[in-house]
Amino acid sequence: MSKRSSLASSPARFLLPALAVLALGGCQTTSLEDVTGALGGKSEPAATADGGREIDGLRERYRAKPNDPKIALDYGKALRESGQRAQAVAVMEQAVLGHPSNKALLAGYGRALADNGNFQQAFDVLSRAHTPEDPDWRILSAQGAVLDQLGRNEEAQQYYAAALKIVPDEPSVMSNLGLSYVLQNNLPKAEQVLGRAYQRNQNNARIRANLALVLGLEGRESEAEILVKADLPPDQAAAKITALRQLLAKKQQQRADK
């Protein structure tokens, strides 16, 4: 049995400490976000008492001053990070209605929409959060991640390239770009880009996870294990690799049908 075929039947325990990041609720199809995080600024839902108290405090501040853009932004971000995606969208939408030209609110609203699976609307809102004359590389990268969700990988890569012109070799952007190549099943290119990202920031768990993902898909299990060890429980790792394989198989079938 080859390494590549044995990977499919293994528990894939090396995959991955960051694969659960940004798993989108409400999305009916397997997507990049079901596998790993690309939008940034998001973590696993916080179930700690401190996290709950923080949200409670922000909720009270928001109720007292619902028109304060800074409070709304902080509250919306906290809701996103706790997994309350629909509520985050509602808060950010209301804030943008009151401050339609506030680019920070537009960026937060776009990310909340993406978390909630509203990808086309997220892309449209993120487009309003900066201008061609004054582009924000973080928003360009987020737009690329949304385009990848929509299956528009080549367009997504153009946005990552635009971001990298502003911040050459920025690891978070290269990580997103590498995942975009994964979605195209271009594993050699994905490994090249993610390897560069890893060289730039070897301490970033998400980048290590994404590189390990590619190495695992290439059948190089031992190298992937060295990167991430057993940070993710085997059952969660197996679920994530299954999600990615389903996505790649679906995309391969779509290409074959064209």
Side-chain angles (χ1 to χ4, degrees):
M1 181 179 292
S2 69
K3 282 187 176 183
R4 193 173 299 274
S5 61
S6 65
L7 177 66
S9 58
S10 77
R13 60 187 173 84
F14 55 88
L15 295 171
L16 291 164
L19 284 187
V21 176
L22 281 179
L24 292 179
C27 184
Q28 299 302 310
T29 58
T30 303
S31 68
L32 175 62
E33 296 301 332
D34 294 322
V35 180
T36 193
L39 287 171
K42 177 75 163 57
S43 61
E44 279 293 274
T48 65
D50 288 344
R53 283 195 294 268
E54 180 185 4
I55 289 182
D56 289 343
L58 284 168
R59 183 183 298 113
E60 292 305 314
R61 292 174 60 199
Y62 176 72
R63 287 174 176 171
K65 294 183 177 180
N67 294 319
D68 187 313
K70 178 65 165 61
I71 293 175
L73 189 62
D74 290 344
Y75 184 38
K77 181 180 179 182
L79 288 169
R80 284 181 60 215
E81 291 178 346
S82 68
Q84 300 179 63
R85 301 180 182 93
Q87 192 172 349
V89 168
V91 167
M92 296 309 303
E93 181 177 29
Q94 192 63 36
V96 167
L97 287 173
H99 305 274
S101 61
N102 186 309
K103 288 183 169 49
L105 288 179
L106 287 166
Y109 183 32
R111 287 186 169 93
L113 286 165
D115 279 355
N116 204 43
N118 307 103
F119 301 123
Q120 185 58 58
Q121 188 180 1
F123 181 81
D124 295 340
V125 170
L126 288 168
S127 298
R128 293 161 49 202
H130 63 161
T131 64
E133 296 76 25
D134 186 23
D136 184 323
W137 68 266
R138 293 176 181 85
I139 296 175
L140 287 169
S141 188
Q143 286 178 284
V146 171
L147 287 169
D148 273 325
Q149 289 282 8
L150 293 168
R152 295 156 59 181
N153 307 119
E154 292 183 3
E155 290 179 68
Q157 290 158 20
Q158 293 174 8
Y159 277 80
Y160 300 137
L164 289 170
K165 286 182 180 179
I166 300 171
V167 283
D169 293 330
E170 165 57 38
S172 64
V173 180
M174 287 193 292
S175 181
N176 281 0
L177 176 59
L179 289 175
S180 186
Y181 286 127
V182 171
L183 288 175
Q184 290 182 313
N185 209 18
N186 187 346
L187 298 182
K189 189 69 173 178
E191 182 191 344
Q192 177 188 357
V193 173
L194 285 164
R196 286 170 52 206
Y198 176 68
Q199 289 173 1
R200 297 281 296 182
N201 188 352
Q202 297 187 12
N203 295 321
N204 186 289
R206 180 179 294 165
I207 293 172
R208 291 200 311 271
N210 294 342
L211 178 56
L213 172 65
V214 173
L215 293 174
L217 289 172
E218 290 179 321
R220 296 156 62 185
E221 298 98 317
S222 60
E223 293 176 67
E225 287 186 16
I226 291 172
L227 277 178
V228 297
K229 308 232 163 48
D231 292 328
L232 194 67
D235 56 341
Q236 293 181 29
K240 295 302 173 182
I241 190 63
T242 297
L244 183 78
R245 288 188 174 280
Q246 289 173 345
L247 177 59
L248 291 176
K250 180 180 177 181
K251 294 186 75 66
Q252 287 174 333
Q253 185 60 48
Q254 288 173 342
R255 284 194 290 267
D257 291 341
K258 289 181 179 178

